[in-house]
């Protein structure tokens, strides 16, 4: 049918040996994390109470360009990596576009997403530190599944606080985590102080990621031999996820393709940061003119309607503050919001890059993204996660723009995962019962009013 | 970690150009299909009333060794094939076995199994024949999903009769099919004559594959421009599935590995027949001494407790008779039986090969297979389908035998798919509520008493 292969796989020998730290190439570094009590930059010692030592080191390191991937992590990566870079021939044909569309597919593993890339690294460091267990939160369930898998692999006990509405809509996600030996608690729960407080203040709440984070952190510091791991937002996570971009870059080079635009969905930012990392590095060093597009849900629009300011990373305000695009740590997306991408803030590195003009941001509604997801499933075969469908929607828009303009651009997007555990939401869409919810200006203002005064 | 790669991928250029027809190499051919009314070998004309023309040709052709894969089918294959052959390093380590374990993984596509290999071929032939729609049945849901995807790709209307207990246990499977545009009806339904009859005779029945087949065939012949497609058992399906074995053979040759034993789960037989096809061909031509092992559930034990005899392919007795290992077309597995592999009979080709002594058969209980599945998930990462876990269980037994005997054999098994839609069953296992059901001798005898007298 075509000369260029449909799927481009690197060999296992070509698996990157080091992660790439984009902060090393930023002349204006992201603002430092602050201690929520002292409002001074957090110290290594403070962070090590919650996070693993090696992760803290990575979190605070904004000068080392490449950080070696440990051998045991690379061995695990070989089970599902390098992941394929796919030429979307059938989608191109359906759209009648002269553009070439490529997607980096991270869904071919049981966690169903890119989250496993960081989960296995963090679980490895926890094991090396001699810990017995880890705690975390999960929204849509992908990160929780990934960490359950990684914990099972290294024999760590894993406790997951799962945002309540996801817990209820996705009983089978929960069951996958249990199969990997994790225990799963709907959040806000009555098992932590912060959970009991949030339940009292917001009776009947279906939870939020910021609230589940608070619970998981509290559980970690109150249990011996246990630390907390986070699946997005943090610099360490963006670092681990750079493997997505490094592989994408190597595969595109093999094909002789220069990307014109790279598109990723953005919730906490781990996928987008990882996908664009090496391309952004080149750009920061003056090497390319590629566009970078972040796509977020219009129901949780931190990049497009939030403020670039210091804010708490969690609803309970026990975590450090970060300077980031945020809707306020009390912001909770409507219960009608399906899928992930429901975090009130955004990676501080991505936020800085957006603020510095290197990234464009846009938001799309959920009926639009399910429409794009269905087209994609029927043409390209893979049923995408709703999160990934944000990037699909934007890629389709770019491809149609190319069609109007008669331009044969190279569009690259991240297909972060599969939607096999999102069929409740697909069902609502198939039944014509899916609703869009866009926060009013008053609701946005209310969230922003909760930002700390500083 | 190791010299041999974890995953061996063939390139898209190495994708087989023809399917392999093992019957061409059998000196004793499988017995012919019989017309249920005349009890004489079915004719092309008779079969074409139900099946697509090209499929009928393939069904009856037991002399052509290689049949070309149409270009459009190969294009579709490129979306998810060649599938990886994986060296189970982590499972080997967990078992402490000197054996080398390999598995051919067919789960990296949205249907979640090997079924797509035949679905796309059959949908292509239906489209080429100018049909508007197709009907079929599905048990665990993998075939129905596969055919929904294939039908969406070619713009065919797709109607799926889904065994009622699966329909109820797997609402999300149904939703995937709907997302691909299919309509899904629980079987036995009140929409067909045969469904109404079976509902009347067995009030409250949770259905069987044989019964869903009868309904789908009736729906096909009563609707204009519509024919019936079947996902297993038939020669044409085994032919299409030979791509699994052809790729496996090519990958093993690249690695310089000669298999000592090849293991596949067996329900209707499509996966096993496809996986072993080229190896069996070599054996039939005197070329190897590889063992072939069929693994079936002890709750539906056609190969190990059935009879090799002519029987109806469906409960409603509207389909042709095949000579096969069968439990009788009225046999219904216990409602406690999870997953697929619930067909009363078996591919006539595999049945003949078993009868001729080329294949070994064994049965395993469902608690055993979920135990094996959990170990596999935690070591190799992938959460397997319960069907596939039958092969895993047998592969583990072989690997432990090798350990006892100090032998470093090469064990190859088929990992037919993923278990993401089987979490209801996993949940029962995780909760310690899964039960084994092994039919009594009386129940087996009752089923066999229903065999036609001939």
């Amino acid at each position: 049918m075509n000369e260029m292969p449909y799927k481009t796989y690197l060999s296992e020998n070509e698996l990157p040996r080091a992660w790439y730290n984009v902060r090393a190439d930023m002349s204006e570094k992201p603002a430092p994390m602050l201690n929520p009590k002292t409002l001074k930059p957090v110290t290594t010692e403070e962070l090590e109470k919650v996070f693993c030592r090696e992760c803290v080191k990575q979190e605070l390191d904004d000068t080392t360009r490449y950080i070696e991937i440990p051998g045991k992590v690379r061995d695990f990566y070989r089970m599902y990596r390098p992941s394929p870079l796919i030429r979307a021939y059938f989608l191109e044909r359906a759209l009648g576009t002269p553009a070439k569309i490529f997607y980096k597919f991270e869904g071919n593993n049981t966690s169903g997403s890119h989250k496993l890339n960081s989960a296995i690294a963090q679980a490895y460091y926890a094991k090396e530190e001699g810990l017995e267990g880890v705690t975390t939160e999960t929204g849509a369930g992908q990160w929780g599944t990934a960490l359950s898998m990684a914990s099972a692999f290294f024999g760590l006990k894993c406790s997951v606080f799962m945002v309540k509405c996801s817990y209820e809509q996705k009983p089978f996600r929960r069951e996958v985590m249990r199969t990997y030996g994790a225990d799963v608690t709907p959040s806000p729960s009555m098992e932590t102080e912060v959970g009991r407080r949030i339940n009292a203040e917001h009776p009947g709440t279906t939870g939020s990621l910021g609230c589940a984070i608070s619970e998981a952190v509290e559980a970690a510091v109150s249990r011996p031999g246990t630390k907390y791991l986070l699946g997005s937002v943090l610099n360490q996570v963006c670092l681990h996820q750079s493997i997505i971009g490094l592989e994408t870059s190597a595969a595109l080079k093999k094909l002789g393709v220069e990307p014109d635009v790279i598109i990723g969905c953005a919730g906490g930012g781990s996928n987008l940061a990882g996908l664009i990392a090496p391309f952004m590095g080149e750009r920061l060093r003056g090497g390319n003119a590629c566009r970078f597009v972040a796509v977020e849900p219009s129901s949780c629009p931190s990049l497009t309607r939030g403020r670039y300011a210091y804010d708490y990373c969690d609803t309970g305000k026990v975590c450090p503050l970060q300077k980031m695009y945020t809707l306020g740590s009390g912001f909770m997306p409507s219960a009608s919001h399906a899928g992930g991408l429901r975090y009130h803030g955004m990676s501080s590195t991505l936020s800085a890059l957006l603020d510095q003009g290197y990234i464009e941001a846009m938001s799309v509604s959920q009926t639009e993204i399910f429409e794009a997801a269905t087209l994609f499933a029927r043409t390209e075969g893979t049923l995408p996660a709703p999160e990934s469908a944000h990037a699909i929607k934007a890629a389709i828009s770019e491809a149609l723009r190319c069609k109007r303009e008669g331009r044969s651009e190279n569009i690259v997007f991240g297909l972060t995962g599969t939607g096999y555990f999102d069929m409740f939401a697909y069902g609502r869409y198939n039944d014509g019962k899916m609703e869009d919810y866009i926060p009013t200006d008053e609701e946005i203002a209310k969230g922003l009013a909760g930002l700390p005064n500083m």
Side-chain angles (χ1 to χ4, degrees), chain A:
Chain A
M1 167 178 175
N2 304 281
E3 285 163 42
M4 199 182 280
Y6 187 81
K7 307 174 297 307
T8 300
Y9 278 104
L10 303 174
S11 75
E12 288 177 21
N13 288 332
E14 294 169 296
L15 194 69
R17 296 185 174 272
W19 294 301
Y20 167 66
N21 183 5
V22 75
R23 288 168 294 157
D25 279 310
M26 291 172 74
S27 51
E28 266 186 80
K29 308 287 183 191
M33 258 185 194
L34 302 184
N35 179 314
K37 287 177 188 149
T38 64
L39 296 186
K40 287 183 182 159
V42 286
T43 63
T44 299
E45 295 67 36
E46 287 165 352
L47 281 178
E48 283 183 357
K49 287 177 190 156
V50 176
F51 296 109
C52 301
R53 280 194 298 272
E54 195 61 30
C55 293
V56 171
K57 207 171 132 194
Q58 295 177 353
E59 190 62 31
L60 300 177
D61 183 346
D62 59 9
T63 55
T64 309
R65 193 177 276 171
Y66 288 98
I67 293 174
E68 196 188 333
I69 304 173
K72 285 185 181 175
V73 175
R74 286 186 86 240
D75 280 344
F76 187 90
Y77 278 166
R78 289 170 66 200
M79 284 207 273
Y80 69 103
R81 305 204 70 83
S83 69
L85 179 76
I86 301 176
R87 172 78 186 274
Y89 281 120
F90 297 109
L91 180 62
E92 289 172 18
R93 191 173 65 185
L95 298 173
T97 179
K100 293 185 181 67
I101 308 176
F102 300 85
Y103 56 97
K104 179 70 170 168
F105 181 39
E106 293 289 317
N108 273 348
N109 69 75
T110 289
S111 82
S113 83
H114 67 294
K115 297 281 184 176
L116 197 51
N117 301 332
S118 184
I120 194 64
Q122 294 190 51
Y124 168 78
Y125 292 126
K127 186 70 181 178
E128 286 292 296
E129 198 171 315
L131 298 183
E132 281 170 38
V134 295
T135 71
T136 198
E137 77 297 321
T138 198
Q142 294 173 335
W143 168 249
T145 310
L147 191 61
S148 302
M149 292 173 66
S151 298
F153 190 77
F154 285 124
L156 290 163
K157 183 171 159 47
C158 178
S159 300
V160 180
F161 289 86
M162 186 171 186
V163 176
K164 194 178 276 176
C165 64
S166 280
Y167 184 91
E168 284 160 5
Q169 284 180 14
K170 301 186 179 182
F172 294 158
R173 265 277 179 219
R174 180 191 357 163
E175 210 54 57
V176 177
M177 293 184 245
R178 287 184 69 211
T179 300
Y180 284 90
D183 59 80
V184 187
T185 307
S187 167
S189 75
M190 300 304 278
E191 288 184 21
T192 65
E193 256 183 58
V194 64
R196 289 187 289 273
R197 176 156 58 81
I198 292 168
N199 269 316
E201 285 171 13
H202 304 275
T205 176
T206 55
S208 73
L209 209 53
C211 156
I213 293 174
S214 301
E215 290 209 278
V217 169
E218 184 185 321
V221 296
S222 63
R223 292 177 196 170
T226 302
K227 284 189 175 176
Y228 165 72
L229 308 184
L230 179 66
S232 191
V233 185
L234 295 177
N235 292 323
Q236 56 187 275
V237 180
C238 298
L239 173 73
H240 304 150
Q241 295 297 356
S242 70
I243 194 159
I244 304 173
L246 291 165
E247 287 182 8
T248 302
S249 171
L252 287 173
K253 282 206 179 84
K254 274 201 176 180
L255 298 174
V257 169
E258 288 272 350
D260 293 294
V261 53
I262 303 180
I263 300 166
C265 59
S270 71
N271 153 66
L272 179 67
L275 175 66
I276 67 175
F279 304 94
M280 180 61 79
E282 217 182 307
R283 168 73 167 281
L284 291 167
R285 299 189 300 269
N288 68 31
C290 179
R291 291 168 55 216
F292 303 99
V293 179
V295 194
E296 64 181 8
S298 53
S299 53
C300 192
S302 58
L303 295 174
T304 51
R305 297 176 72 194
R307 189 176 297 161
Y308 187 45
Y310 265 107
D311 193 11
Y312 296 96
C313 288
D314 65 324
T315 310
K317 304 184 181 179
V318 300
C319 291
L321 293 103
Q322 294 234 62
K323 189 164 183 191
M324 57 184 176
Y325 279 88
T326 177
L327 295 161
S329 63
F331 181 86
M332 293 202 188
S334 154
S336 73
H337 171 77
L341 312 182
R342 48 170 61 244
Y343 186 59
H344 66 273
M346 180 62 60
S347 146
S348 63
T349 301
L350 282 183
S351 294
L353 289 167
L354 177 65
D355 187 59
Q356 293 167 27
Y358 290 106
I359 295 178
E360 305 164 31
M362 63 180 287
S363 74
V364 291
S365 75
Q366 66 180 2
T367 50
E368 285 177 310
I369 68 111
F370 277 91
E371 186 186 15
T374 303
L375 172 65
F376 186 82
R378 293 184 185 185
T379 52
E380 289 289 315
T382 300
L383 185 95
E387 296 82 2
S388 321
H390 289 73
I392 296 172
K393 170 66 190 169
I396 290 174
S397 300
E398 291 286 334
L400 293 176
R401 175 187 58 72
C402 287
K403 185 180 182 178
R404 286 193 305 274
E405 298 175 357
R407 297 167 70 96
S408 160
E409 293 186 10
N410 295 316
I411 300 168
V412 176
F413 73 91
L415 190 75
T416 54
T418 51
Y420 309 148
F421 293 93
D422 298 280
M423 298 320 297
F424 181 86
Y426 271 95
R428 277 200 295 162
Y429 177 75
N430 291 336
D431 289 335
K433 290 183 182 159
M434 176 156 280
E435 283 168 21
D436 284 327
Y437 177 79
I438 298 174
T440 62
D441 287 343
E442 288 68 30
E443 283 164 315
I444 295 289
K446 191 182 156 201
L448 295 176
L451 289 176
N453 274 329
M454 48 188 293

